[in-house]
């Protein structure tokens, strides 16, 4: 049994907040098991989009973990990311959209690690 989407999203946003990163739920999906998409806006007209990893990646003994894959290795124009999100919502109306803002885009790299949710401000 996996952790409810609503609990995972709340934990991710709380972690971002405690580390000084702005994050918000743009679209609330199904409480129990809605897919979660995370957009990291880099505030320069570009963004990264992290989509749920395939089910084969999950380990049943660690239900709290969620794994994500970047839609692209490079930042994409925000319009492309928004088009993909619109397509995902048409396909799965139970999906969540969470958005964070980070000029460096480094926040996103923690999503593809096995220890998400994680949000860190870069050390200046």
């Amino acid at each position: 049994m996996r952790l409810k989407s609503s609990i995972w999203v709340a934990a991710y946003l709380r972690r971002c907040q405690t580390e000084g990163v702005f994050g918000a739920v743009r679209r609330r999906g199904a409480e129990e098991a809605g897919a979660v998409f995370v957009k990291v806006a880099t505030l320069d007209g570009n963004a990264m989009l992290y989509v749920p990893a395939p089910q084969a990646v999950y380990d049943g003994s660690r239900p709290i973990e969620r794994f994500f894959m970047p839609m692209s290795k490079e930042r994409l124009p925000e319009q492309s990311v928004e088009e993909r999100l619109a397509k995902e919502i048409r396909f799965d109306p139970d999906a969540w959209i969470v958005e964070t803002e980070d000029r460096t885009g480094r926040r996103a790299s923690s999503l593809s690690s096995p220890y998400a949710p994680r949000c860190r401000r870069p050390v200046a």
Side-chain angles (χ1 to χ4, degrees):
M1 185 168 136
R2 286 193 17 212
L3 187 66
K4 290 182 180 181
S5 296
S6 60
I7 294 172
W8 187 91
V9 168
Y12 179 71
L13 291 175
R14 176 64 60 117
R15 181 95 184 240
C16 289
Q17 180 185 25
T18 61
E19 301 205 16
V21 176
F22 175 77
V25 174
R26 281 196 26 208
R27 183 175 196 286
R28 189 173 184 81
E31 288 282 318
E32 300 286 326
V36 179
F37 294 84
V38 180
K39 176 184 171 186
V40 179
T42 55
L43 306 175
D44 62 356
N46 294 310
M48 295 288 293
L49 179 62
Y50 285 79
V51 299
Q55 290 293 330
V57 173
Y58 288 91
D59 178 359
S61 67
R62 302 186 71 168
I64 196 167
E65 294 179 352
R66 286 195 180 235
F67 298 100
F68 294 86
M69 297 174 33
M71 187 176 92
S72 168
K73 292 184 181 189
E74 301 297 321
R75 297 176 187 177
L76 299 170
E78 271 197 86
Q79 184 61 34
S80 297
V81 171
E82 291 300 325
E83 289 169 2
R84 172 68 185 265
L85 288 171
K87 184 187 289 186
E88 292 293 346
I89 295 304
R90 283 192 302 273
F91 177 74
D92 180 9
D94 292 333
W96 291 71
I97 299 175
V98 177
E99 184 168 343
T100 62
E101 294 179 347
D102 177 31
R103 291 186 192 284
T104 65
R106 282 188 262 184
R107 213 74 59 256
S109 64
S110 67
L111 287 168
S112 55
S113 83
Y115 303 105
R118 182 171 297 146
C119 250
R120 289 198 188 128
R121 272 276 188 222
V123 177

